Amino acid sequence: MKSGRTTTQEFDAVVIGAGFGGLGMLRKLRDELGMSVRIYETGDGVGGTWHWNRYPGARCDSESYIYCFTFSKELLQDWNWSGKYPEQPEILSYLNHVADRFDLRRNIQFDTKVVSSRYVEETNRWEVETDTGDRVTAKFFITWIGCISTSNVPTMNGLESFEGEWHHTGDWPHDGVDFAGKRVGIIGTGSSGIQAIPVIAEQARSLTVFQRTPQYTIPARHGTIDRKFLEEEVKPNYEKILEKARWSKSGNAVNFSERLALNATAEERKEAYEAGWTEGGHKFLWGSFKDIGKDRRANDTAAEFIRAKIREIVKDPETAEKLLPTDHPLGSKRALIDTDYFETYNRENVELVDIRHSPIQTITPSGIRTEDSEFELDMIVFATGFDAMTGSFFKIDIRGRNNLSLKDKWSEGPKTYLGLQVAGFPNMFMITGPGSPSVLSNMTVSIEQHQEFISDFLDYMRANDIEVAEADPNSEIEWVSHVNKVAESTMYMLADSWYLGANIPGKPRVFMPYAGGVGTYREKCNEIVDKGYEGFILRA
Ligand code: N01
């Protein structure tokens, strides 16, 4: 335990995490409901994901004008993003600006990890303990611990013997990493890897990419934001744009195509895919054909278009062949957009190693040995992802009614009602927990919807003298079954991905987020509210 503070205080609500989720929750509960709130934050600053993920090339893939808080009209009008997609340093500045502008820091205790939180039936309060010795109680316990924040450094023989530096993208040194003159190896080609690879390649002496699964990725066409678009189309129409995003499938204000790839001619398909590739970003998927996400034959037409692009871009045919994704449909893993990812393999200083066919055997003091080669490296970058959605919960000893631990309750996969509450854990709320659209959407839209839902719920409880709110176990069973059923009809079930826990050895294979879409989910939540918070057990 860290030494220093030891306090015993009482709050209306304790919130974990000072990222987008925690900051907005604090503002709502404190400034709109007049509650006493304490946020505990492990880091030494605000930002959450954007505080930790400082790897080169880190940025969000929702367009910047829609990746923001929307509770303040003035903030929306005042803040000017510089990039089409917001980059990590700018998102962090934005969150610092929000924390200062709305005077949020005074309710945040930084450098403090919550180690346990226990519901005490007799008092109807949560007892929260931290690694700094704080023991506080709160009526409401609210988690914003990030869906993708527990870094996964896979167990690899010999890592402790490596004499160079190694880093994980999700836990990147805050004062940066110097690649100059270094032989760098990177393991992983997911969202983080494909962003970092082109940037590291430009700075390092050499870059060796250890790839297990080739990826589909579309050019992002990132650049500075179109000022005219921002000033003339976005800012005067913000409310309309935001409303569209809130009721959309993915939390973005875009138009989805109504056309079917299987009804189009080969030429029409090529034209649509070329247009999407040229415009770039996720519009390649949304704007081309609606059956890509539902019908494997339609999906194959888009997948084959991307494979042809890879063959066209990558000059060395052997490298191009290794980069071709063939073992899973397009969009079955997290959809990716990139800047010069495939082009990077044309650089003299970049080498691609296929570890699916020649797996890593061991890390040696001077590099990495695969089954058929040895690579001398000065640095290893792990872009190997996260123990997503549940990993961060399990780092805290969370106990509900009858001392039931969340870890035990979720031993076969997470069980929640709406991704908001867990039966047996009264007055505990999760912002974008498992079972909500969260990671399948523009996060800020999903986060704000949960902040509003929770805040309205607590207000309703107060107005109606309700002391305890808890998910009904039957509603939880029905919701989990609905989440599974919706997932079954998607491409997501056809790949090994972190959505299914497949990246963590021993993790139950359960599809964790809700794939029904942000708008549908919002509608369900609203119906539940209209029926007096149906599915929740409410007690005076
Ligand atoms: O992690 P990932 P990530 N040996 O799990 C490989 C969000 N995000 O950090 O595919 C060898 O996607 C693994 O291989 P495979 C976003 O939601 C968003 O990149 O499992 N390789 C894969 O290539 C995203 O989905 C943004 O075969 C191993 C890679 O490591 C989520 O965060 C940017 C391995 C991990 O990919 C996570 O992305 C960044 C092993 N033992 C992140 N274990 C944007 O908004 C894993 N791999 C743009």
Side-chain angles (χ1 to χ4, degrees), residues 516-533:
V518 165
T520 311
Y521 176 81
R522 179 182 289 270
E523 204 174 306
K524 280 185 190 299
C525 288
N526 289 356
E527 279 168 18
I528 284 164
V529 173
D530 289 345
K531 291 181 187 161
Y533 292 91

Side-chain angles (χ1 to χ4, degrees), residues 55 59-61 148 152 154 156 187-193 195 212-213 215 333-334 355-356 383-386 498 503:
Y55 61 86
R59 74 174 78 94
C60 179
D61 60 2
I148 329 169
N152 165 43
M156 287 193 177
I187 304 172
T189 52
S191 306
S192 307
Q195 286 187 329
R212 189 163 71 180
T213 308
Q215 292 274 15
K333 282 172 172 272
R334 170 65 147 74
I355 54 170
R356 168 82 62 203
T384 43
F386 301 86
W498 61 262
N503 62 328

